[in-house]
Amino acid sequence: AAQCKMIKTMLEVSEEQEFINLPNVKGKELEKVIEYCRYHVQADKPDSGVSDNDKKTWDENFVKVDKETLFNLIMAANYLDVKSLLGSHLRHCRQHAQEQDSRGNPS
């Protein structure tokens, strides 16, 4: 929850609440966001043995999804305030757009 600022705030505000309503996030995308956060919670520990290069590679592979899923993940990351995931996805979109532009292909 620490990486997901919105959920962290909701938990702090209402500690006795059993459920958190996330109407703007679909189940599939929520699962991916949780997968991302779980990976980074473990990988970012100083004693994890995961290098910055390994994390970068994992992030690059994580965003290799179809356009609809990518869009939904960007929206979920934005809604849930997971800045590192949002940044990773936006970098991927920018890189993809630059590659398409240099080839003269439409996205």
Side-chain angles (χ1 to χ4, degrees):
Q3 289 207 358
C4 186
K5 299 208 185 311
M6 185 215 185
I7 292 177
K8 181 180 177 192
T9 301
M10 290 174 86
L11 291 172
E12 289 170 352
V13 170
S14 182
E15 292 178 10
E16 58 277 339
Q17 188 173 354
E18 286 187 40
F19 300 98
I20 296 174
N21 188 15
L22 301 171
N24 296 341
V25 181
K26 297 177 184 176
K28 177 182 166 185
E29 284 75 26
L30 182 58
E31 286 180 26
K32 293 289 284 178
V33 170
I34 291 169
E35 177 187 352
Y36 176 89
C37 290
R38 282 186 176 151
Y39 172 80
H40 278 280
V41 163
Q42 294 302 315
D44 292 346
K45 290 180 181 176
D47 61 347
S48 72
V50 180
S51 71
D52 288 342
N53 193 46
D54 290 342
K55 288 186 264 188
K56 181 181 176 193
T57 301
W58 191 91
D59 285 349
E60 288 170 354
N61 289 326
F62 185 80
V63 297
K64 290 181 181 176
V65 294
D66 61 84
K67 287 182 183 181
E68 181 181 358
T69 301
L70 182 64
F71 175 78
N72 289 335
L73 282 171
I74 289 170
M75 298 303 288
N78 185 51
Y79 178 74
L80 296 170
D81 198 14
V82 184
K83 293 188 187 322
S84 59
L85 177 58
L86 183 60
S88 178
H89 278 66
L90 293 176
R91 278 190 299 279
H92 175 74
C93 288
R94 183 178 61 237
Q95 180 181 2
H96 178 72
Q98 288 171 340
E99 289 171 0
Q100 294 297 318
D101 190 44
S102 68
R103 291 185 200 140
N105 296 331
S107 298

